[in-house]
Structure formats: structure tokens, C-alpha cells
Amino acid sequence: MDNNAGANDDSRPRKVYDEDELDVEIPQTAHQISKDSWFQAGFVLTTGINSAYVLGYSGTIMVPLGWIFGIVGLIIATAISLYANTLIAKLHEFGGKRHIRYRDLAGHIYGRKAYSLTWALQYVNLFMINTGFIILAGSALKAVYVLFRDDHIMKLPYFIAIAGFVCALFAICIPHLSALRFWLGFSTFFSLIYIIIAFVLSLQDGIEAPARDYSIPGTATSKIFTTIGAAANLVFAFNTGMLPEIQATVRQPVVDNMLKALYFQFTAGVLPMYAVTFVGYWAYGSSTSSYLLNNVTGAVWVKTMANIAAFLQTVIALHIFASPMYEYLDTKFGIKGSALSARNLSFRISVRGGYLAINTLVAALLPFLGDFMSLTGAISTFPLTFILANHMYLVAKKTKLTSLQKLWHWLNVCFFGCMSIAAAIAALRLIAVDSKTYNVFADL
């Protein structure tokens, strides 16, 4: 493990000050930084965008929105997500400092309160994304079980527990984000397996099936809430909420290299997601489930392979989104030196294992994947990726922006602020409705 790479020899916390001289303590990192190529960062981003979550977008985005609003919404979400992420990437070296964490950048621009608020938002965002990953991994394992023994003896919470245990083992073995390296190749391979299988089997079913119903289900009131929730899912699909942490791993020139990684993510990276989302909805219409592999028909061994690939890719993808929490804990407790030392290994077993145990418990209690996606998009993805990104850029570049540019950024801040509030209300309503329909530890 390469400690404090790219950092000063003095690993003690140092103080930096924003323009109002409100001090924010910024520790050096115990993880590796400034070592990866833009291509590796691009694969980290693409791993996130083509994670097993893509198997849910036909049901959680297209079903509530329909063909026109679903397609237009995805294209618009792609464009505005790329734009917002480029704003954050360009601020990585703002003020002559390299900001390797999202909260560091917010703290430098706004001060201590914004530092703490940003960290809280990011923690909630990543915690809920990881909870969703464990639900996905458990769903994939259950789908394999049902293919061979549909006896309802093993229920979804059991598979979620197994998935959480495997994710914890992986987290213990991989010390930091840069150490993923060749695992990203495996992640891409697994993604291609379940995306190609889901695409081909959906296409086959769609060709052979009679006319499908593409009407948006629900009452007039429920349609409003599900549409707003789907809008939150749109932005959730494209955004990590941890761009500065990924950018911290990239070597110089850090801004140019990160922009290359983003362009890779939002061009080649989005095509598989588009393909499986649209074909899945075309094949099954309004009956599309929130896990597409539950809809497809085909040889048992083919569907088994797709589900196992989805499970394995989810384990790798979860590690990416959990890495900011791991970095925080490792840095706080001075975990440095060999990753295999007894102290460091026992720390990862206890702390990372405990963190993922909490994720697993929440996942088993409330395994409503689509609702989690909506709530995550509402309360954290909207504020972090759109509201904060536009406002930080506005504050940081205020003397260099024209009046029209300032107005544009303020419009973004206000619009996404309203969307965040509306989407949070819609998501909470969906969770409340589902909680009445299903008991805790539901077997969905």
C-alpha cells in the first residue's frame, strides 16, 4: 500500500482558510492519490453507470415516464449531468489547492458549516447507494436460487445477508480505490455479460410477444408522485456524488485528465445503459419489473450466468461508492503501512465489516430498490451534483462570469432546489405506501 502518495511528508492535519477566514481542518489522506490514468478513472465512472442498477431503469424510469418523456428525460439527464460534473472537475485545483474530497472543496469555498453539511449529504448519498447495491446483489442471488428451487424456503433477506458478507470480504481485501485496478476489468466483463444477456433475451421476448401495454400505471395522483420519483432516478443514474474523490486518484494534468474520463463516461459509457433500458421497456411495457432479469425468459444456464455476473459486478461497484467512507476512517485513525499488517487488517475487518453490516441490515429491512433510488436522488444527488456544483462554480468564478452566465447558474440552483424538495416528498410517499403493502424483511 502506497501511503500519502502525492502528499507532503507531514501527515498531521493542516489548516486551510476560506476567504472569510473560517478554518477547516483538512487532513492528508492515508490512501493513494495522483497515480491513475484518465482511462482508469473513466472505467471507475463507467463501472458506476453500468452497474447492476441498469437492470432496474426500464422499470423505475421508463414505466413511470413512458416512451416520450423517458427517452427525452434520459437524454437531458445525460447532458445536464455531464455539464454539472465538468463544473466540479474544473474546481479541483481552485485557489491553488488540490481538493481531494467533495467536502474539502465546499469547505474551502464556503467555510466550516458547508464542509460539515456537504460531508453529511455525501455520507447519506453513498450510504443509500451502497444499501441499494446490497439489495441488488441479494436480488441477483435470489434470482439464481429461484431458477433451480422455487420453494420459498430461502427468502430475499437471507440472500441480502449473504451479499453483505461477500461485500465485506471484498472491502477487507482491497485497501483503497486505486487498488481496484484489474478488478475494473472484471467489472467491465461482468457488466457486459448481464447487459448483453438482458438485451438479447428482452429482444427475443419482445419479438415473440403480443402487443404490449405502454400506458403509465396508477391513479392520477400516484402518477404525479411516480413521475417525480422517476425524475430523481434519472439523475441518480448518471452521478456518483464523489467526483473529487475519484479525481484525486488521477495524475496530472488532473483537470484535463478528469474531463477526458467524463467524456468517456458520457459517450461510450452510457450506450450499454441506454440499450438495455430501452429494449427492456420495449419488450415488457408497463409490466417491466425493477429488476429486468426477473422478466426475461430463456435457458436457465444463461439467466444463471447473467445473475451471477450482476452479483459479482455489484460487489466491485459497491467498493467504489464506499471508498470515501473507508478513506475517512483510515485517515482519521492513522491506518498506514502495509495493508497486510495485523493492525491494518484487523481495523478493516472490524470497521469496514461493521459499516457494511449496518448497510445490510437496512437493505434487509426495507428492500424497496426503486424507492431507494428515488430518495437517494432527491436528498443527496440533486443537492451535491446540481445545486452545489452550480453554486460553487458561481461563487468561485463570480468575477469571471457574465451576467447571463450568472443568471444561468442561479436558474439551475433554483430549479434543482425545487426538484429536490418535490422528489424527496414523492420518494417518502412511495416508501410509506410500500411499507404498508409489505412487512419489514419483505421477500420481494
Side-chain angles (χ1 to χ4, degrees):
M1 182 174 175
D2 184 6
N3 280 307
N4 300 322
N8 296 329
D9 291 334
D10 183 6
S11 60
R12 294 174 298 173
R14 57 188 172 86
K15 301 268 186 167
V16 298
Y17 298 88
D18 72 353
E19 295 176 355
D20 295 324
E21 298 184 354
L22 297 173
D23 60 317
V24 180
E25 190 173 344
I26 306 296
Q28 303 289 358
T29 180
H31 285 195
Q32 179 173 287
I33 63 171
S34 305
K35 292 293 184 180
D36 301 341
S37 67
W38 72 264
F39 198 59
Q40 181 168 330
F43 267 95
V44 169
L45 293 167
T46 303
T47 288
I49 206 171
N50 287 304
S51 69
Y53 272 114
V54 302
L55 298 173
Y57 296 151
S58 296
T60 60
I61 292 176
M62 297 302 295
V63 170
L65 296 179
W67 275 120
I68 296 176
F69 290 108
I71 293 174
V72 173
L74 274 170
I75 294 172
I76 293 175
T78 304
I80 62 175
S81 296
L82 173 59
Y83 175 72
N85 279 283
T86 58
L87 295 181
I88 298 170
K90 290 175 182 178
L91 293 175
H92 191 74
E93 294 180 313
F94 173 66
K97 304 175 187 294
R98 187 169 182 182
H99 307 285
I100 64 172
R101 307 173 186 90
Y102 213 133
R103 59 190 183 277
D104 295 355
L105 177 59
H108 181 81
I109 292 175
Y110 301 117
R112 178 173 293 281
K113 290 182 179 179
Y115 176 92
S116 301
L117 177 61
T118 303
W119 180 216
L121 284 173
Q122 189 182 42
Y123 175 84
V124 170
N125 183 58
L126 298 176
F127 181 87
M128 295 184 69
I129 289 174
N130 292 332
T131 300
F133 272 127
I134 294 174
I135 295 172
L136 271 172
S139 299
L141 286 179
K142 183 189 174 185
V144 173
Y145 178 82
V146 169
L147 287 172
F148 295 94
R149 290 187 60 185
D150 194 7
D151 54 15
H152 301 289
I153 294 176
M154 287 287 288
K155 301 185 183 299
L156 179 59
Y158 304 154
F159 293 107
I160 287 175
I162 295 170
F165 179 74
V166 175
C167 289
L169 288 179
F170 190 78
I172 292 164
C173 295
I174 307 297
H176 49 73
L177 187 58
S178 289
L180 280 174
R181 299 194 191 286
F182 72 91
W183 288 104
L184 295 173
F186 282 112
S187 174
T188 302
F189 175 69
F190 294 141
S191 296
L192 289 174
I193 289 176
Y194 61 73
I195 287 175
I196 290 173
I197 289 176
F199 179 89
V200 171
L201 294 183
S202 296
L203 184 64
Q204 177 181 297
D205 288 347
I207 292 172
E208 297 175 354
R212 274 79 69 194
D213 178 16
Y214 295 110
S215 62
I216 298 174
T219 64
T221 302
S222 66
K223 286 180 182 179
I224 294 173
F225 285 103
T226 54
T227 299
I228 295 172
N233 292 344
L234 282 170
V235 298
F236 172 85
F238 296 101
N239 298 285
T240 62
M242 52 173 284
L243 193 76
E245 286 81 358
I246 296 174
Q247 194 168 359
T249 67
V250 179
R251 54 178 173 253
Q252 294 287 357
V254 65
V255 173
D256 289 343
N257 281 334
M258 196 62 201
L259 291 177
K260 290 178 183 177
L262 286 170
Y263 297 146
F264 177 80
Q265 176 196 12
F266 283 96
T267 52
V270 300
L271 294 180
M273 187 204 75
Y274 275 5
V276 75
T277 299
F278 294 145
V279 170
Y281 182 60
W282 169 78
Y284 309 107
S286 58
S287 64
T288 310
S289 75
S290 60
Y291 184 64
L292 186 59
L293 292 178
N294 287 337
N295 284 102
V296 300
T297 59
V300 170
W301 71 268
V302 174
K303 293 197 289 183
T304 299
M305 186 166 60
N307 280 295
I308 291 175
F311 169 73
L312 294 173
Q313 198 275 348
T314 297
V315 173
I316 299 171
L318 183 148
H319 190 77
I320 295 173
F321 291 93
S323 61
M325 176 55 67
Y326 300 158
E327 187 274 335
Y328 166 74
L329 294 168
D330 290 351
T331 300
K332 181 177 178 63
F333 292 98
I335 302 302
K336 49 189 175 182
S338 172
L340 298 178
S341 69
R343 178 177 181 267
N344 292 354
L345 194 58
S346 62
F347 180 85
R348 292 202 301 276
I349 291 172
S350 58
V351 174
R352 296 187 184 186
Y355 174 72
L356 288 172
I358 297 171
N359 276 124
T360 303
L361 177 61
V362 174
L365 277 170
L366 298 169
F368 314 125
L369 182 60
D371 300 350
F372 264 102
M373 291 162 58
S374 299
L375 189 59
T376 302
I379 67 176
S380 49
T381 307
F382 271 126
L384 282 174
T385 307
F386 298 105
I387 300 172
L388 196 58
N390 276 278
H391 194 265
M392 284 196 303
Y393 195 82
L394 187 65
V395 173
K397 305 289 185 179
K398 58 185 176 182
T399 60
K400 299 179 180 179
L401 299 177
T402 66
S403 298
L404 188 60
Q405 288 173 322
K406 291 178 182 178
L407 177 62
W408 164 250
H409 288 294
W410 273 116
L411 286 173
N412 276 295
V413 169
C414 294
F415 173 76
F416 288 113
C418 294
M419 283 296 298
S420 179
I421 294 170
I425 294 171
L428 289 171
R429 178 187 177 276
L430 287 171
I431 290 175
V433 169
D434 283 340
S435 297
K436 292 178 181 177
T437 305
Y438 301 101
N439 297 320
V440 294
F441 297 108
D443 183 29
L444 303 181

